[in-house]
Amino acid sequence: MKIIYMHHAERKINQELHNQNIKQRDDITDNGIKEALLIAEQVKKIKNIKAIYTSPYLRCRHTADIINKYINVPIYEEERFNEKNSDELWQKFLEKNMEAINDIVVNYDDEDTVICVTSGVNFTAFVCYFYKIIPTNDTFWSQACAISPISFEIQK
């Protein structure tokens, strides 16, 4: 099975929402729309894409919707792919994301591909899951940016 981790397209930061700590309503920029369209042109060449899983954050969902215009698969919102809450321990955040990834993996066949559109902070959980790293509060912090698709493969 292949999972393609994808950071959302370029984010339009709405300062008013940030001041209210409602970052999940930030959308993508006009440039972000162009980025998503460019990536969608490439993604449509990939065989056996069965679904897109996305964080409910508007910027992730909008990115997923644009890509899906080219591949037309079901889109599922995955709450566990949201960003880390300020009071949430890093280890718990990673474990929550890894559980979501595992729930996806067990539902698909080896030849299937699934796209996961999330925020950059979630990338560490994908690395931990696919490289079998047990997360702790000291686990490295890595960040993806732009709309960089990164493919992970697993044999069940």
Side-chain angles (χ1 to χ4, degrees):
M1 166 177 206
K2 184 186 297 182
I3 289 186
I4 299 174
Y5 162 89
M6 193 175 299
H7 186 278
H8 58 77
E10 183 180 78
R11 173 184 183 177
K12 182 188 317 178
I13 296 178
N14 181 326
Q15 198 57 52
E16 184 178 322
L17 295 177
H18 268 62
N19 292 343
Q20 299 173 42
N21 205 20
I22 312 175
K23 297 180 279 191
Q24 58 269 48
R25 291 194 209 147
D26 285 345
D27 201 354
I28 58 177
T29 64
D30 290 341
N31 188 55
I33 292 170
K34 291 175 188 172
E35 289 175 341
L37 289 169
L38 287 170
I39 290 298
E41 284 287 340
Q42 299 306 309
V43 167
K44 75 179 184 181
K45 299 173 188 175
I46 299 171
K47 301 209 183 317
N48 294 325
I49 298 176
K50 300 298 184 185
I52 298 174
Y53 286 80
T54 179
S55 161
Y57 281 28
L58 179 58
R59 59 189 171 272
C60 297
R61 181 62 198 230
H62 194 176
T63 302
D65 287 340
I66 291 169
I67 292 166
N68 201 37
K69 288 178 185 175
Y70 288 76
I71 57 176
N72 195 28
V73 296
I75 296 179
Y76 303 102
E77 288 189 0
E78 176 51 72
E79 291 281 336
R80 293 172 289 183
F81 286 155
N82 285 341
E83 292 182 353
K84 183 181 171 302
N85 296 323
S86 58
D87 60 343
E88 188 174 23
L89 293 174
W90 180 234
Q91 178 179 349
K92 294 297 178 196
F93 172 78
L94 293 173
E95 289 171 348
K96 171 181 72 175
N97 273 259
M98 291 169 71
E99 287 171 7
I101 296 165
N102 194 64
D103 288 348
I104 293 168
V105 166
V106 299
N107 285 305
Y108 293 91
D109 296 326
D110 284 346
E111 65 277 359
D112 294 339
T113 298
V114 171
I115 297 172
C116 295
V117 182
T118 70
S119 296
V121 67
N122 304 80
F123 180 65
T124 301
F126 283 78
V127 171
C128 287
Y129 183 87
F130 285 97
Y131 288 96
K132 300 182 181 354
I133 298 168
I134 297 171
T136 69
N137 286 325
D138 295 322
T139 298
F140 64 94
W141 176 288
S142 57
Q143 175 93 11
C145 61
I147 190 170
S148 38
I150 300 166
S151 180
F152 294 95
E153 292 191 41
I154 188 166
Q155 297 296 318
K156 296 189 264 180

